[in-house]
Amino acid sequence: MPKIVLHKNQIQFEVFAGANLMQSLLDQQIPVASSCGGDGICGKCRIQIIAGQNQLPPPNETETFLAEINDLKKNERISCQTQVLNDIEVDTNYW
């Protein structure tokens, strides 16, 4: 099972392969910014991928669009559109 590690405090937990990143964080009571509730509209749920970026699937069409209009950096992903397939380490500016 893939592991998600929170960079600042090294909290870690396992998820099922293919789990949605945003929902996995919310299930652990970890706040994720969002005004659309994970519908892929607002782009506020951006998450920095500290490690494991190359282990994530490529962005889907919705994420690609949101990345362009929200000027995401190369190490950022839209968490509501990202599936966790392998271990990753993540961070945000609000944790």
Side-chain angles (χ1 to χ4, degrees):
M1 288 178 59
K3 187 181 340 177
I4 298 174
V5 179
L6 278 62
H7 181 69
K8 288 182 182 139
N9 56 20
Q10 294 299 299
I11 291 173
Q12 54 186 290
F13 57 94
E14 292 183 335
V15 299
F16 289 106
N20 177 274
L21 177 55
M22 179 181 182
Q23 191 59 55
S24 297
L25 293 166
L26 293 173
D27 288 348
Q28 296 294 315
Q29 313 303 311
I30 299 164
V32 178
S34 175
S35 62
C36 71
D39 289 335
I41 298 169
C42 71
K44 293 181 180 178
C45 64
R46 69 174 62 189
I47 299 285
Q48 296 170 340
I49 309 299
I50 305 299
Q53 173 91 359
N54 59 344
Q55 300 295 316
L56 295 172
N60 62 26
E61 188 176 315
T62 300
E63 185 177 6
T64 300
F65 172 74
L66 290 170
E68 289 173 10
I69 66 170
N70 289 291
D71 198 30
L72 261 62
K73 298 176 183 149
K74 288 185 179 184
N75 71 329
E76 292 180 318
R77 296 291 299 262
I78 302 294
S79 66
C80 73
Q81 299 296 306
T82 302
Q83 289 182 315
V84 181
L85 301 177
N86 292 294
D87 295 354
I88 58 172
E89 186 172 345
V90 299
D91 198 9
T92 68
N93 60 357
Y94 52 85
W95 288 338

